[in-house]
Amino acid sequence: MAVSSTIYPAYFVSAAAVVDRRTSDSGAHPRPEKLGSSSFLLGGAPRFSGLSSATILRFPPNFVRQLSTKARRNCSNIGVAQIVAASWSNSSQSFEAPRSAASADAVVAPEVAAEDANLGAGGGSKSRFVESPVGEAKVSAAVAKAAASLNSDGSLAVHAGERFGRVITTDAITTPVVNTSAYWFNNSDELIDFKENRHASFEYGRYGNPTTQALEEKMSALERAESTLFVSSGMYASVAMLSSLVPAGGHIVITTDCYRKTRIFIQNELPKMGISVTVIDPADIESLKSSLDQNNVSLFFSESPTNPFLRCVDIELVSQLCHNKGALVCIDSTFASPVNQKALTLGADLVLHSATKFIGGHNDVLGGCISGSEELISKIRLYHHVIGGVLNPNAAYMILRGMKTLHLRVQNQNSTALRMAQFLEEHPKIIRVYYPGLPSHPEHHIAKRQMTGFGGVVSFEVAGDLNTTKKFVDSLKIPYIAPSFGGCESIIDQPAIMSYWDLSESERAAKYGIKDNLVRFSFGVEGFEDLKADILQALEKI
């Protein structure tokens, strides 16, 4: 039969090798032999150990069409073509599928089997995710192993969840995208084993995905968490956390400075469930103590640093006070990223991120995540399975890719933002700068204690009114005017217009402290001198 002129390196698996890995005593996964690349490319017949010259390669129906279509579709997306199983006839030699670099030690490992030659007769097998000989261990053991062998956030950002604990057996360096809405079972007994936790797999796309699981393991390693749940956006992560952990009639404490949509949900939607709210200044410990004494507080929830004034909560002290009263603590650490701050090690129960920002880092994907103990994340996951808000596997792959450079990007952005904050604070056309790395910041002493870097976002007030500030923003050439932050490209916005334009000037100032001359600048990875020169020329025009 004619095949595509493109040469695809391939593994070939004997039909006789279709065995249940769970019956193996050793659990070893010997590698198959590859096509002899040199002789094959020169036109010679490929040599396979243990195969007769009369061996015939039989492809499944529509193999060529499906391979060429899938290869074009997937190679550019995931870095490698999907492994396509082919069957050999007249073979007395057994070959087994390749294993990943860490599959012998992974908690779960895929079982790869060849397609039966009689596909049309309904026979055949498939790739499965089955328990390994160490299947009794918790999934978080992969996180523990990564943390034990990799000492830096940089190494964890690159390898955690992929080099250690990946559930997909492949020789690919990158984690493949598993685009499926559901997962099938060989028979009803296997399904029952899955339901009763004797068989490790997935069931439905809303309940889990191997690509997303690799991403969750990576974040757990970075945040030193037992478990992580990735969802469709940071806002949904907040909604899922609040809805699943705060009981009807409960009471929560939040801080004044935060993402406006979070505040709207808390103030407009939670009262419908009988949940009351106390709002305090991020540094007002006495108000927190009073609220804990007067109310049966279920949860303390705050950003740190906050949006847009970059206020910092004393996470360790707040956690001690709340835990003494039986309240949970959740910190939204989006502005810090896991590189600059680890809220769980400071005592928080949960840490939340909008992965759209620094974690994804390329302004090209939406996502959110929550990390914490297995007990708490399991409660949120149950709610998530019912409501939805699922992260697309392609988005999970893009975030995985972005996280490999997280430490490099954030370190660069830390440096640029600190230098720019120092420069802006000295400029006569800037009234005030908000940045936790500056001694003038009200929580600088807290930030120094609990952060290793101060982030890539600087807020400041321009000397002038709304129109003067507009002119400054519009005169800049490098940053985009947009509502996000944390990506490789610099982004700027004027909160009075971007986020609070539906309110009057007096309402913005009185309720939220948002002045017309406030600017939020997210520094990307461009050159510091280029950014500085751009800001200087824009300031000269006002």
Side-chain angles (χ1 to χ4, degrees):
M1 64 182 288
V3 297
S4 170
S5 60
T6 303
I7 304 301
Y8 293 96
Y11 289 103
F12 297 94
V13 185
S14 168
V18 181
V19 294
D20 191 334
R21 292 277 169 83
R22 287 168 292 180
T23 63
S24 172
D25 293 330
S26 65
H29 296 212
R31 288 184 179 272
E33 293 193 20
K34 291 187 179 180
L35 282 171
S37 56
S38 58
S39 62
F40 187 70
L41 292 173
L42 293 173
R47 299 187 299 274
F48 300 98
S49 175
L51 297 176
S52 69
S53 61
T55 297
I56 300 172
L57 175 63
R58 292 210 299 259
F59 294 97
N62 298 322
F63 172 82
V64 176
R65 178 178 60 81
Q66 292 176 0
L67 176 59
S68 60
T69 300
K70 288 186 176 181
R72 285 196 303 270
R73 182 184 307 147
N74 294 328
C75 279
S76 62
N77 188 28
I78 66 175
V80 293
Q82 295 177 344
I83 297 175
V84 183
S87 299
W88 289 91
S89 63
N90 304 323
S91 174
S92 60
Q93 180 75 18
S94 295
F95 294 86
E96 291 189 20
R99 63 185 177 119
S100 67
S103 62
D105 296 320
V107 175
V108 287
E111 176 188 9
V112 180
E115 295 286 346
D116 190 272
N118 297 319
L119 289 171
S125 186
K126 57 175 181 169
S127 295
R128 304 299 298 147
F129 298 99
V130 300
E131 291 184 340
S132 73
V134 293
E136 297 79 13
K138 292 182 179 180
V139 173
S140 57
V143 177
K145 178 169 183 173
S149 57
L150 303 175
N151 296 320
S152 71
D153 281 345
S155 298
L156 290 171
V158 174
H159 292 298
E162 299 185 85
R163 193 70 181 269
F164 300 94
R166 183 162 65 188
V167 299
I168 309 170
T169 292
T170 172
D171 283 338
I173 293 174
T174 56
T175 295
V177 181
V178 179
N179 278 317
T180 186
S181 60
Y183 307 83
W184 61 283
F185 298 86
N186 282 308
N187 50 55
S188 297
D189 285 339
E190 186 176 82
L191 174 58
I192 292 172
D193 285 345
F194 169 77
K195 293 291 186 180
E196 297 181 356
N197 298 319
R198 292 188 298 272
H199 175 70
S201 183
F202 299 89
E203 179 183 1
Y204 188 55
R206 199 167 79 241
Y207 308 150
N209 177 278
T211 309
T212 305
Q213 182 174 319
L215 175 60
E216 291 173 342
E217 294 287 356
K218 187 182 294 291
M219 180 55 69
S220 291
L222 279 172
E223 285 289 11
R224 312 298 192 261
E226 289 181 6
S227 184
T228 293
L229 171 66
F230 258 88
V231 294
S232 56
S233 71
M235 187 64 227
Y236 174 78
S238 297
V239 170
M241 183 274 298
L242 291 166
S243 300
S244 57
L245 297 183
V246 181
H251 189 90
I252 68 171
V253 179
I254 64 170
T255 52
T256 51
D257 191 31
C258 70
Y259 177 51
R260 191 181 177 200
K261 294 300 189 293
T262 303
R263 191 199 322 272
I264 289 172
F265 176 79
I266 289 173
Q267 294 181 341
N268 294 355
E269 301 303 321
L270 291 187
K272 297 176 183 178
M273 296 178 276
I275 297 172
S276 55
V277 181
T278 295
V279 183
I280 65 172
D281 184 89
D284 193 348
I285 295 299
E286 293 305 314
S287 291
L288 174 60
K289 291 178 180 178
S290 176
S291 181
L292 289 168
D293 289 337
Q294 296 174 16
N295 304 282
N296 184 19
V297 177
S298 303
L299 175 77
F300 173 88
F301 181 38
S302 176
E303 300 169 6
S304 187
T306 62
N307 182 20
F309 294 111
L310 305 170
R311 301 289 302 276
C312 295
V313 171
D314 190 333
I315 300 174
E316 186 174 10
L317 177 57
V318 166
S319 298
Q320 291 173 355
L321 294 173
C322 289
H323 293 162
N324 289 339
K325 294 291 185 176
L328 297 173
V329 174
C330 179
I331 298 297
D332 183 333
S333 197
T334 299
F335 273 81
S337 87
V339 174
N340 287 333
Q341 178 175 277
K342 301 192 188 303
L344 299 181
T345 65
L346 293 167
D349 301 286
L350 295 161
V351 60
L352 185 148
H353 292 274
S354 170
T356 308
K357 312 305 190 298
F358 289 103
I359 292 171
H362 290 76
N363 293 318
D364 59 2
V365 63
L366 296 177
C369 63
I370 320 163
S371 302
S373 68
E374 183 68 41
E375 178 184 3
L376 291 176
I377 298 301
S378 293
K379 292 178 180 179
I380 303 171
R381 197 182 297 274
L382 286 174
Y383 173 89
H384 168 67
H385 287 174
V386 173
I387 301 301
V390 179
L391 184 71
N392 184 281
N394 293 282
Y397 171 80
M398 294 175 73
I399 298 173
L400 269 172
R401 180 201 58 189
M403 287 183 70
K404 293 178 187 293
T405 59
L406 175 64
H407 61 297
L408 301 175
R409 290 185 284 103
V410 169
Q411 289 165 6
N412 180 278
Q413 290 165 305
N414 286 343
S415 174
T416 297
L418 177 59
R419 294 171 66 190
M420 204 66 74
Q422 293 167 340
F423 155 71
L424 289 169
E425 195 171 43
E426 298 298 323
H427 198 282
K429 291 185 180 180
I430 301 299
I431 297 174
R432 184 174 181 181
V433 178
Y434 302 90
Y435 188 68
L438 294 177
S440 59
H441 189 278
E443 287 86 47
H444 177 63
H445 63 291
I446 295 174
K448 285 197 303 181
R449 187 172 67 246
Q450 66 188 25
M451 301 179 73
T452 57
F454 304 112
V457 178
V458 178
S459 295
F460 53 92
E461 294 171 359
V462 176
D465 58 9
L466 179 75
N467 289 325
T468 302
T469 307
K470 280 174 55 183
K471 186 176 182 180
F472 163 72
V473 171
D474 293 345
S475 298
L476 291 164
K477 295 179 172 60
I478 294 178
Y480 292 91
I481 301 174
S484 192
F485 61 90
C488 291
E489 298 88 356
S490 290
I491 287 177
I492 192 168
D493 78 83
Q494 196 171 347
I497 299 175
M498 184 67 73
S499 303
Y500 294 89
W501 193 242
D502 58 313
L503 303 178
S504 67
E505 179 182 355
S506 59
E507 284 181 298
R508 293 193 293 265
K511 289 185 177 180
Y512 308 113
I514 303 296
K515 299 179 181 179
D516 287 350
N517 62 345
L518 179 67
V519 171
R520 190 186 72 179
F521 203 131
S522 170
F523 292 99
V525 296
E526 301 95 346
F528 172 80
E529 293 300 333
D530 291 336
L531 289 165
K532 180 180 177 181
D534 192 27
I535 291 174
L536 279 172
Q537 65 83 22
L539 287 172
E540 289 174 359
K541 294 181 179 179
I542 61 173

